[in-house]
């Protein structure tokens, strides 16, 4: 049987093939495609029982219906997030769906800190200057983090890893989550209402999933509460931040730095080469004009350790499908139709 994977990156493919070959040893073939799965490309999945999707694929009701009609029975999402999949529609048409519920939290936590340190110490501006042999320090002054306050929004596995690093810097720790993490409490974290966290933190880092209740969690009201010299980092999901409100805040000269590895309208932009095209997303283009804003293209998870773990878990999900099993990664079980 041939299994098809969409949105496969060049650095990801060897790790995916290694996991695939180890598990299936020639029993199944893997076809890796760089294109994303959407209404225009869904005919390429015709006849494939198992489809491996990426977070930037568009798996709405129409695409899912077309997949089911073409013979697909299982979607294996190669990520933790699944907000791009209409799970109700998948259940309606009898598609099973699984995700990768866990991979190295250190990859994202360490990258969130990379963004925080880069904007705090003006690393990108400094690097551009020195490449032009301009070695002045004007405009490059940062701040010590020791003794300042880190606000961690979401203290699951990734948030806890971020908290441990903050503790190592000697920062005061504030947290917000529905459930308090004992590991974070042991490090001295104080759980506080969201409004107090935004008001008191010198650094706010987002580590919650994108759900209806967390959409635009960082809105105009939250940004107004933040200190004028605070740093905001989002390495979770773009929809957590109201981009229009953030642009207004930046235009007002507020916030020392913003590090964004995700963007709410990133689909169709991130992971693609747009360097020879006109950037039609005016909000993204405007974000890029601020010297205190650093945008990266959803790469926080992108380490050999994390991607290898994602590949192995995805293969395990496929094995569960063939065996008729469900598990902790199952979002929609096999054969469940309304």
């Amino acid at each position: 049987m041939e299994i098809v994977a969409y949105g496969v990156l060049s650095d990801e493919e060897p790790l995916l093939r290694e996991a695939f070959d180890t598990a299936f040893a020639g029993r199944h073939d893997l076809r890796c495609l760089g294109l994303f799965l959407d209404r225009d490309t869904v005919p390429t999945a015709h006849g494939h029982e198992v489809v491996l999707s990426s977070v930037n694929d568009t798996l709405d009701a129409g695409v899912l219906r077309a997949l089911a009609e073409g013979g697909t029975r299982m979607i294996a999402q190669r990520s933790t997030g699944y907000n791009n999949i209409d799970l109700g529609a998948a259940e309606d048409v009898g598609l099973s769906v699984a995700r990768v519920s866990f991979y190295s939290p250190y990859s994202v936590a360490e990258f969130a800190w990379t963004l925080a340190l880069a904007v705090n110490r003006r690393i990108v501006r400094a690097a551009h200057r020195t490449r032009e042999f301009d070695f002045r320090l004007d405009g490059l002054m940062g701040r010590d983090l020791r003794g300042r306050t880190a606000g961690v929004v979401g203290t699951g596995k990734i948030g806890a890893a971020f908290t441990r690093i903050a503790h190592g810097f000697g920062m005061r720790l504030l947290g917000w989550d529905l459930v308090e993490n004992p590991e974070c409490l042991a490090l001295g974290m104080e759980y506080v209402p969201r409004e107090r966290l935004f008001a008191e933190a010198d650094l706010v880092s987002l580590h919650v999933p994108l759900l209806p209740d967390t959409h635009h969690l960082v809105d105009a009201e939250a940004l107004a509460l933040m200190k004028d010299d605070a740093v905001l980092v989002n390495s979770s999901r773009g929809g957590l931040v109201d981009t229009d409100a953030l642009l207004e805040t930046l235009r007002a000269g507020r916030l020392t730095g913003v590090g964004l590895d995700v963007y709410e309208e990133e689909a169709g932009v991130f992971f693609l080469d747009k360097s020879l095209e006109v950037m039609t997303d005016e909000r993204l283009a405007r974000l890029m004009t601020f010297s205190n804003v650093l945008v990266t293209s959803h790469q926080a998870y992108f380490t050999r350790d994390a991607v290898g773990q994602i590949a192995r878990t995805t293969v395990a999900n496929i094995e569960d499908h063939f065996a008729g099993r469900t598990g902790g990664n199952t979002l929609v079980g096999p054969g469940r139709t309304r």
Side-chain angles (χ1 to χ4, degrees):
M1 177 187 297
E2 182 178 74
I3 294 171
V4 62
Y6 290 89
V8 179
L9 304 173
S10 59
D11 290 335
E12 175 193 12
E13 183 171 347
L15 297 172
L16 189 58
R17 288 194 179 280
E18 179 182 354
F20 197 91
D21 292 342
T22 298
F24 297 123
R27 287 184 290 139
H28 305 294
D29 296 323
L30 177 65
R31 182 183 181 197
C32 292
L33 301 177
L35 54 85
F36 295 119
L37 182 57
D38 55 27
R39 295 194 180 201
D40 294 327
T41 62
V42 70
T44 62
H46 186 84
H48 292 88
E49 179 178 340
V50 177
V51 166
L52 277 56
S53 59
S54 74
V55 72
N56 276 330
D57 294 325
T58 302
L59 297 173
D60 57 20
V63 171
L64 294 169
R65 189 178 307 109
L67 286 172
E69 291 172 353
T72 299
R73 294 294 174 263
M74 190 255 186
I75 296 170
Q77 174 96 333
R78 304 190 316 278
S79 69
T80 298
Y82 53 90
N83 53 286
N84 61 317
I85 306 174
D86 186 333
L87 296 182
E91 188 173 344
D92 284 342
V93 298
L95 287 171
S96 65
V97 183
R99 63 162 177 161
V100 178
S101 58
F102 173 82
Y103 59 85
S104 169
Y106 310 108
S107 59
V108 179
E110 290 171 6
F111 194 83
W113 271 105
T114 301
L115 291 175
L117 294 171
V119 297
N120 177 47
R121 299 305 299 268
R122 312 290 194 269
I123 297 299
V124 175
R125 181 185 295 181
H128 285 316
R129 280 190 186 179
T130 55
R131 286 181 67 87
E132 300 295 328
F133 301 103
D134 179 353
F135 300 103
R136 293 173 299 162
L137 298 182
D138 299 339
L140 301 182
M141 183 174 286
R143 297 183 299 171
D144 288 1
L145 294 174
R146 181 176 177 80
R148 288 191 161 83
T149 300
V152 187
V153 181
T155 56
K157 292 182 174 64
I158 296 173
F162 184 92
T163 299
R164 286 194 295 273
I165 299 171
H167 181 263
F169 274 110
M171 300 186 75
R172 173 182 174 233
L173 305 173
L174 296 181
W176 178 82
D177 208 328
L178 297 178
V179 178
E180 296 182 357
N181 187 330
E183 181 182 351
C184 295
L185 289 171
L187 294 172
M189 173 172 280
E190 180 184 1
Y191 280 86
V192 297
R194 184 175 59 191
E195 294 77 12
R196 182 181 162 193
L197 183 149
F198 283 120
E200 295 185 16
D202 299 292
L203 164 63
V204 175
S205 190
L206 308 180
H207 301 288
V208 292
L210 179 59
L211 303 168
D213 289 343
T214 60
H215 181 255
H216 285 182
L217 183 74
V218 182
D219 55 11
E221 182 179 349
L223 289 163
L225 291 171
M226 292 180 66
K227 298 177 180 179
D228 288 348
D229 59 356
V231 170
L232 173 65
V233 173
N234 186 11
S235 58
S236 183
R237 287 292 181 267
L240 299 176
V241 176
D242 182 338
T243 305
D244 289 328
L246 178 59
L247 284 168
E248 288 300 320
T249 300
L250 292 166
R251 275 196 287 263
R254 301 185 58 244
L255 301 183
T256 286
V258 176
L260 302 174
D261 186 51
V262 288
Y263 169 61
E264 60 179 328
E265 300 296 335
E266 69 182 57
V269 178
F270 282 16
F271 300 156
L272 300 173
D273 182 1
K274 297 288 184 177
S275 60
L276 298 179
E277 301 178 23
V278 174
M279 177 48 65
T280 57
D281 187 327
E282 295 183 1
R283 295 189 299 170
L284 180 57
R286 274 183 281 172
L287 277 173
M288 299 290 198
T289 66
F290 292 96
S291 61
N292 60 334
V293 175
L294 176 57
V295 178
T296 52
S297 54
H298 207 141
Q299 70 180 83
Y301 78 99
F302 205 55
T303 66
R304 175 172 291 275
D305 308 83
V307 174
Q309 190 170 3
I310 289 169
R312 292 188 295 273
T313 302
T314 299
V315 166
N317 290 339
I318 298 170
E319 290 182 306
D320 284 345
H321 165 74
F322 287 139
R325 297 187 298 260
T326 61
N329 293 325
T330 304
L331 297 172
V332 178
R336 289 169 54 189
T337 57
R338 294 176 180 175

